[in-house]
Amino acid sequence: MATDQTYKKKVESAINNPKLSEALHLFGDAYLTSRENAFQGLDFEAMRKDLAEIKDDVRIRRKELLAEFIKNAEAAGSTVFIAKDTQEANEYVINLAKKKNAKLIAKSKSMVSEEAHFNAALEAEGIKTSETDLGEWIIQLAGQRPSHMVMPAIHMFKEEVAELFSKETGQQLSPDIKSLVNVAREQLRKGYFDADIGLTGANFLVADTGGIGLVTNEGNARLCATLPEVHVVFSGIHKLVRSMEDAVKITRLLPRNATGQLLTSYITWIRGAVPTDGKAKEQHIVLIDGGREALYESKACRDALRCIQCGACANVCPVYQTVGGHVFGSTYISAIGVILTAFYEGLDKAKEITRACIGCRSCSAVCPSNIDLEEIILHLRTQVTQEYGMGMIKNVAFKAVMKNRGLFHSMIRAASKLQRPVTHKNAVDGERPIIRHLPMHFMDRDFTEWRDLPSVAEKSFRDQFKGIVQNVKNPRYKVGFFVGCGADFVYPEVGTSLIKVLNALDVEVVFPQKQNCCGIPALYSGDTETGVDLARQNVEAFTEAEVDYILCVCPTCTMGVKGDFVKRLADSPDWSAKARALSEKTMDASDFLENVLHASEKLTGFKPQGTVTYHDSCHLKRGNKVFKEPRALLNAGGYSVEEMKNSDRCCGFGGTYSFLSHPQISKQITTDKVQTIKAVNSKTVAMDCPGCMIMLKGAMGKADPNVRCAHTIELMAEALDGKE
């Protein structure tokens, strides 16, 4: 699938604005610290599990709860209108404004009004709208849309804001934040009193009271709701909660997860029309479907409506931090924005941002509603691929080559010989040749301008395995080794190292030769058909092996065998039980060594090996929940681990992401990681993923070839050699 040229230009423009990325990174780093402090003493996992259950019950009972809300709201004096889409919602407010002869609507921050393009619709009818949230007012003056759900103007700098405010006030203002806030307060204050209608969103629609809840930091929502004689609540139907108790539970999560605050400045509960200086007051509640009911009905995607719009998925997203919300989003941004854009605006509007997700799972890890955002995005990517294709290169690679194990492996062997004219000796002694430069056609793709590429191993692991002698007389376990493409064809030394370490602990290793690629590259590209075919090949190979455990040295492969094989084969009676059986005994190698074999206790007496820093691979830490184990192994092996900043921030690999779909974004993410590594006083970086090794070995080869990148299992094997 070809990349839309307009989207491509947006990416290039964002990347050519380094100040934007710098600002988003600074915020992201500060957010992580604030969030950690805000959740101290609380069980985040338990809280988000509880929230997910609340939201799921609302989904199941939504018609009953909506009827209850309407009944109670009307009993309190409110008028409730259900709009099938945003156009109908806008028309309701336009007709109301005309009936009231309203000339000005004072608005509190409302993402659903952004979704409805409310301001443009009202102003086309001669009705002025005034944003009263500071961030929303800034972007209204700039003629832009929000780049973040909680902090809509996070992409703008104080100098830009000073220029906007100077133009609005007719005064030359300095870029002093306190002064600019005071100017905004002075400019906006009059609007509350002049407005004929006040419009707010709603964080909660409380079914058992018929009231709404508002969570804000500036108090503008409270003023918009109370000062004008008419209050319009503009909300999506998914904001329903069962009770005040549920709403209060969400307020414990929302500010902590959104901005790292213990509590926001203003939490406002309104039921019916609040008094207005003795005058008659009206409250109109406009509830909007606009694709939400269709999303509720989608079995694969419906969890997205658990979202409480904290914006945390953007705060931790490496793609968002690189290009910002005006590229990685539409009305809604980042991971949740991908899903909502597809349902609210159509798959065509979402196709590019669906492919922009790198799959690091940072969003899923911090989501307070326990939404598996990555899994939903992968489902949408499959739909995008079915509708628009995935491009000739991937079609050939996945469907014609990768499915055919014999052809695939023969082509890899041929590549190991054909690559010789472009390989060069590695600066690090004892390592295989690397590819430092490619012919000009490939240079245009930005393949080797900023990184070296690994050469294909002259002899793959599967070919080496036949000659490996294992002297294990009475094995404690017989384990099957799922090698993965990276360790098989690029870094076979990781596989031989694993055998050395396992044999030292009296474990025999079996290698089923019929195994193939785990299929994740195809699945992540939306090619479910190839993914299913490869899952079957591997399930067959390892079922025949009859082993105690299946070990992986690639966390993405581990996720594939443990999770994806089970999901993809769930509807096939012949394969489902076999896939589940393999899933239950599949582990990451470090996880097995530490938690089954207790290797750090049993492998002792190592010489000091020096200092290493450790990079947490995305799918190892967030996908497999493994991060303590590699560090324990390294410490036991004589290595001193010096932690790098944000060790679990993505390295930028993402499989084909860094080569075919988004090499420019990938480059920037990797550059950030390289700078982090260089800031640590260590000449060795340990990691547990061959994909991360490809990315970081290559990038460090250009940035500092004296820094070595190695798999934890390699380092353990070297420690054993030193001990011997």
Side-chain angles (χ1 to χ4, degrees), residues 163-190:
E163 186 178 337
L164 285 172
F165 285 11
S166 296
K167 191 180 296 184
E168 178 69 12
T169 62
Q171 306 171 34
Q172 189 59 43
L173 303 173
S174 66
D176 173 69
I177 293 175
K178 185 177 180 181
S179 299
L180 293 173
V181 170
N182 287 334
V183 169
R185 182 179 289 115
E186 182 181 333
Q187 290 289 311
L188 295 173
R189 183 59 57 93
K190 191 172 182 292

Side-chain angles (χ1 to χ4, degrees), residues 413-440:
R413 291 185 184 101
S416 70
K417 296 177 175 56
L418 293 171
Q419 71 186 347
R420 288 172 184 168
V422 293
T423 57
H424 302 270
K425 185 178 180 181
N426 197 334
V428 180
D429 290 339
E431 294 205 10
R432 241 184 3 264
I434 55 173
I435 300 170
R436 293 193 64 83
H437 303 288
L438 285 171
M440 291 307 296

Side-chain angles (χ1 to χ4, degrees), residues 25-43:
H25 275 85
L26 286 171
F27 167 73
D29 289 348
Y31 165 79
L32 289 173
T33 302
S34 298
R35 180 181 180 275
E36 183 179 0
N37 292 336
F39 277 107
Q40 277 188 359
L42 298 174
D43 187 341

Side-chain angles (χ1 to χ4, degrees), residues 137-153:
W137 188 54
I138 290 169
I139 63 168
Q140 183 181 31
L141 294 178
Q144 298 178 6
R145 61 178 175 82
S147 66
H148 191 285
M149 284 195 288
V150 176
M151 295 155 285

